């Protein structure tokens, strides 16, 4: 397993490298966002450890750029304060998990191992619902985290897929924003739940015929959202 460590604090980067190599991971260090994108343009990794505060290009932008280039390597984001707003920004940018700094090395290794298993775990979980779901002549493939229309295939991030699957499983029922934060994404802190709305905007663009007057992902005023099949 090959891991790219994107971290500008040399001491921390070396520490992570040392500990990952003890766990038999191969590693490489990029000390800023620009170098990281250059390395990733030429090499494949199994996961990326991505600091947020970086010289040149910050971690959010690195994640956004990778996802827009259809690079879906799992990203574990290291956030300085672990503020829920930062975490949500990270998820929006395409991060798959986060760890607030400072962190315990044992927890870091556990989260990374979890992240590498995550897709497998998510795919296993979807077995209880349908792996392939069709709506509005679009096909959502939860195995491969893809949404297919007649003309194109769009990759979903893990967080988008989890949100969509949760709404589908609760078809016809209003799901609150708080429930999405806590049960779907595992965020327990108080946060501005309106950040979820950006995820819904993107999902509507993918699913609805008229994203501005949604029929499938409906807003339930004062509560949250509801998935409606017809
Ligand atoms: Ca930093």
């Amino acid at each position: 397993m090959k891991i790219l460590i994107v971290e500008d604090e040399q001491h921390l980067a070396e520490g992570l490298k040392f500990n990952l190599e003890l766990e038999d991971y191969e590693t490489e260090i990029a000390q800023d966002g620009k170098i990281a994108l250059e390395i990733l343009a030429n090499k494949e990794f199994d996961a990326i450890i991505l600091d947020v505060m970086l010289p040149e290009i910050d971690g959010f932008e690195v994640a956004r750029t990778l996802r827009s280039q259809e690079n879906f390597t799992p990203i574990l984001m290291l956030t300085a304060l672990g503020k829920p707003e930062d975490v949500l920004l990270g998820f929006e940018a395409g991060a798959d998990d986060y760890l607030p700094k400072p962190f315990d090395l044992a927890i870091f290794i556990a989260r990374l191992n979890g992240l590498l298993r995550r897709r497998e775990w998510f795919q296993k979980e979807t077995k209880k619902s349908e792996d392939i779901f069709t709506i509005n002549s679009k096909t959502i493939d939860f195995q491969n985290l893809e949404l297919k229309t007649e003309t194109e295939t769009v990759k979903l991030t893990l967080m988008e897929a989890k949100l969509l699957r949760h709404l589908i499983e609760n078809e016809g029922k209003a799901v609150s924003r708080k429930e999405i934060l806590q049960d779907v994404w595992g965020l327990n802190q108080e946060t501005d739940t309106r950040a979820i709305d950006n995820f819904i905007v993107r999902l509507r663009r993918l699913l609805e015929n008229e994203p501005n007057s949604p029929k499938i992902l409906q807003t339930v005023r004062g509560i949250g959202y509801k998935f409606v099949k017809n």
Side-chain angles (χ1 to χ4, degrees):
M1 290 276 200
K2 285 196 324 201
I3 313 292
L4 180 65
I5 303 162
V6 190
E7 171 63 66
D8 59 315
E9 288 164 55
Q10 202 191 343
H11 187 70
L12 178 57
E14 301 279 342
L16 294 178
K17 183 179 166 68
F18 178 76
N19 280 277
L20 286 173
E21 286 173 359
L22 283 182
E23 300 284 321
D24 278 338
Y25 288 110
E26 278 178 47
T27 62
E28 193 164 335
I29 295 174
Q31 45 297 41
D32 69 47
K34 195 161 169 268
I35 293 171
L37 288 174
E38 282 164 13
I39 292 173
L40 286 158
N42 298 306
K43 258 191 232 172
E44 280 193 23
F45 290 84
D46 294 291
I48 302 165
I49 310 300
L50 183 59
D51 187 30
V52 172
M53 302 292 279
L54 289 168
E56 302 290 336
I57 301 172
D58 74 21
F60 294 134
E61 196 54 40
V62 170
R64 237 175 262 129
T65 305
L66 289 175
R67 295 326 188 209
S68 73
Q69 292 168 346
E70 307 262 298
N71 180 326
F72 292 94
T73 309
I75 294 175
L76 174 59
M77 202 168 247
L78 306 178
T79 60
L81 297 168
K83 281 192 300 183
E85 290 79 4
D86 286 344
V87 173
L88 282 168
L89 261 178
F91 285 172
E92 273 184 67
D96 297 291
D97 201 359
Y98 74 100
L99 200 54
K101 283 179 170 179
F103 49 81
D104 184 85
L105 274 171
I107 290 180
F108 166 75
I109 298 287
R111 291 294 273 275
L112 176 65
N113 290 336
L115 182 66
L116 290 165
R117 280 195 309 264
R118 191 75 51 88
R119 260 163 213 270
E120 203 184 314
W121 162 83
F122 177 77
Q123 285 159 0
K124 237 178 259 158
E125 277 230 325
T126 62
K127 291 261 161 52
K128 69 186 176 197
S129 61
E130 292 165 83
D131 286 344
I132 305 281
F133 191 91
T134 304
I135 182 129
N136 211 9
S137 37
K138 292 163 179 102
T139 304
I140 304 152
D141 179 346
F142 284 113
Q143 279 286 325
N144 295 309
L145 304 180
E146 282 174 355
L147 186 144
K148 287 179 194 151
T149 68
E150 278 161 23
T151 51
E152 60 172 348
T153 299
V154 181
K155 277 277 181 188
L156 297 171
T157 68
L158 199 56
M159 295 300 154
E160 287 166 347
K162 284 174 106 172
L163 171 56
L164 188 54
R165 194 195 59 179
H166 190 82
L167 290 169
I168 289 173
E169 284 178 352
N170 287 280
E171 187 190 334
K173 277 189 277 180
V175 175
S176 73
R177 291 182 176 83
K178 222 177 182 89
E179 181 179 337
I180 293 168
L181 281 180
Q182 294 185 350
D183 299 352
V184 185
W185 293 339
L187 288 172
N188 289 310
Q189 296 131 305
E190 281 299 313
T191 183
D192 183 359
T193 55
R194 281 172 305 177
I196 291 162
D197 303 350
N198 297 332
F199 282 83
I200 296 287
V201 167
R202 171 162 149 90
L203 290 174
R204 278 177 178 159
R205 259 190 243 127
L206 297 173
L207 289 173
E208 304 274 357
N209 292 333
E210 294 171 70
N212 291 326
S213 46
K215 304 248 182 318
I216 299 165
L217 295 176
Q218 297 182 5
T219 301
V220 182
R221 198 183 283 245
I223 300 177
Y225 296 99
K226 171 168 82 169
F227 176 83
V228 179
K229 204 168 176 183
N230 294 302

